[in-house]
């Protein structure tokens, strides 16, 4: 098995543990309300279960991602030539009003 697959499995297991901590919190709060307890704070075991599973899931996912790509402007612009950057074909309009204005320009000016 590859290391990436193992780490993704660990991340999935940590996510399941986090879901379990959420379910435990819900059940604890419902039980506390049913017996009339005024203090609705969660037990430390549920809080620690959630935080530890979050930490394990985060570390496993960050490590399993692999090498990150550079996002600097220089690294991005190495892929393009200057002609490709400044060509902007979406500014070229071949169907414009010039053909209707051209006959007005060609007419001689009327003087009085």
């Amino acid at each position: 098995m590859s290391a990436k697959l193992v780490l993704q499995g660990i991340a999935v297991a940590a996510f399941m543990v986090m879901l379990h901590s959420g379910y435990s919190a819900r059940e604890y709060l419902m039980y506390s309300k049913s017996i009339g307890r005024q203090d609705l704070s969660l037990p430390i075991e549920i809080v620690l279960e959630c935080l530890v599973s979050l930490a394990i899931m985060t570390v496993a996912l960050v490590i399993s991602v692999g090498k990150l790509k550079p996002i600097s402007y220089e690294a991005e612009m190495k892929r393009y030539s200057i002609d490709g950057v400044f060509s902007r074909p979406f500014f070229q309009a071949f169907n414009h009003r010039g053909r209707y204005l051209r006959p007005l320009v060609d007419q001689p000016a009327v003087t009085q």
Side-chain angles (χ1 to χ4, degrees), residues 28-42:
Y28 178 79
L29 290 176
M30 288 181 66
Y31 174 72
S32 295
K33 286 180 183 179
S34 69
I35 62 171
R37 188 179 291 169
Q38 297 296 326
D39 183 27
L40 296 178
S41 62
L42 292 174

Side-chain angles (χ1 to χ4, degrees), residues 9-74:
I10 291 172
V12 168
F15 181 71
M16 298 300 277
V17 170
M18 187 180 290
L19 287 176
H20 178 263
S21 68
Y23 178 75
S24 297
R26 180 183 166 275
E27 288 295 318
Y28 178 79
L29 290 176
M30 288 181 66
Y31 174 72
S32 295
K33 286 180 183 179
S34 69
I35 62 171
R37 188 179 291 169
Q38 297 296 326
D39 183 27
L40 296 178
S41 62
L42 292 174
I44 192 71
E45 294 88 8
I46 295 175
V47 174
L48 283 177
E49 180 182 9
C50 183
L51 292 176
V52 168
S53 66
L54 176 67
I56 291 172
M57 184 174 60
T58 303
V59 170
L61 287 176
V62 167
I63 293 173
S64 71
V65 167
K67 187 176 179 182
L68 299 175
K69 295 179 182 178
I71 58 169
S72 67
Y73 181 72
E74 290 179 24

